[in-house]
């Protein structure tokens, strides 16, 4: 199964717009999307995106490859509450691509990408399944991630290479 990027009212200038769904039980007692659900929706969108490109995890860390990674940092800024269940989007991009780490940015937004509800970033480190020490991303994962680099970061990454 592949995830089809959404058609935004105005195409996103970088990254991908991936559909996400807010369900009624994601809302808190005040009728707003619970704060813990924003990063969860972003994570699910990233998982769907990578899964659609053939990356996955079947429970065996020894064969997980690039999917064997850990979170080093997570930041979310809440801009505007989501007040109803329905279809939304996650705008996904890569902010920094290192040898063993990857910082991705995300924005939870309206389905057409025009309204931002929350935004943030998450730092991942790829680890060796035996030692749990940082290990380099595969060339294939680096190529895919490089295609998602935000333009300013893409220039920085080329200069650093």
């Amino acid at each position: 199964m592949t995830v089809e990027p959404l058609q935004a009212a105005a195409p996103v200038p970088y990254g991908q717009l991936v559909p996400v769904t807010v369900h009624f039980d994601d809302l808190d007692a005040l009728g707003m999307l619970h704060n813990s659900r924003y990063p969860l929706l972003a994570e699910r969108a990233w998982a769907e995106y990578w899964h659609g490109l053939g990356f996955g995890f079947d429970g065996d860390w020894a064969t997980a490859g690039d999917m064997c990674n850990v979170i080093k940092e997570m930041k979310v800024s809440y801009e505007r509450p989501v007040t109803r269940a329905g279809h939304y989007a996650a705008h996904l991009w890569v902010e920094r691509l290192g040898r063993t780490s990857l910082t991705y940015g995300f924005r939870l937004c309206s389905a057409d990408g025009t309204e931002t509800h929350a935004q943030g970033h998450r730092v991942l480190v790829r680890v060796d399944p035996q030692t749990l020490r940082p290990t380099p991303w595969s060339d294939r994962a680096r190529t895919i991630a490089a295609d998602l680099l935000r333009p300013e970061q893409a220039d920085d990454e080329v200069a650093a290479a």
Side-chain angles (χ1 to χ4, degrees):
M1 174 177 142
T2 59
V3 175
E4 296 296 324
L6 291 171
Q7 298 302 315
V12 290
Y14 54 87
Q16 291 288 327
L17 205 56
V18 176
V20 297
T21 301
V22 171
H23 299 275
F24 177 77
D25 60 354
D26 292 323
L27 305 178
D28 65 15
L30 297 175
M32 294 186 284
L33 183 62
H34 189 274
N35 66 74
S36 67
R37 298 296 195 190
Y38 290 85
L40 178 66
L41 289 171
E43 176 60 22
R44 286 179 178 165
W46 273 111
E48 286 293 322
Y49 180 79
W50 285 103
H51 182 76
L53 295 169
F55 291 84
F57 176 68
D58 65 3
D60 181 7
W61 287 114
T63 62
D66 293 295
M67 299 307 282
C68 187
N69 56 68
V70 295
I71 303 167
K72 180 177 179 180
E73 177 182 294
M74 175 80 151
K75 179 183 176 190
V76 181
S77 175
Y78 303 95
E79 309 294 333
R80 170 181 209 172
V82 169
T83 58
R84 59 179 46 128
H87 299 289
Y88 295 86
H91 177 197
L92 310 174
W93 65 90
V94 172
E95 292 182 359
R96 182 183 178 282
L97 176 57
R99 191 175 72 79
T100 62
S101 66
L102 171 89
T103 303
Y104 71 70
F106 65 90
R107 197 171 57 91
L108 271 293
C109 54
S110 57
D112 64 3
T114 59
E115 294 180 31
T116 299
H117 294 281
Q119 57 189 329
H121 72 262
R122 182 169 156 177
V123 179
L124 297 176
V125 177
R126 182 173 180 210
V127 294
D128 178 274
Q130 301 303 314
T131 65
L132 299 182
R133 301 289 303 150
T135 194
W137 298 104
S138 70
D139 289 341
R140 181 166 179 253
R142 290 185 64 73
T143 298
I144 292 166
D147 286 343
L148 293 174
L149 275 169
R150 206 168 67 187
E152 305 86 59
Q153 279 69 16
D155 294 341
D156 293 344
E157 295 297 322
V158 170

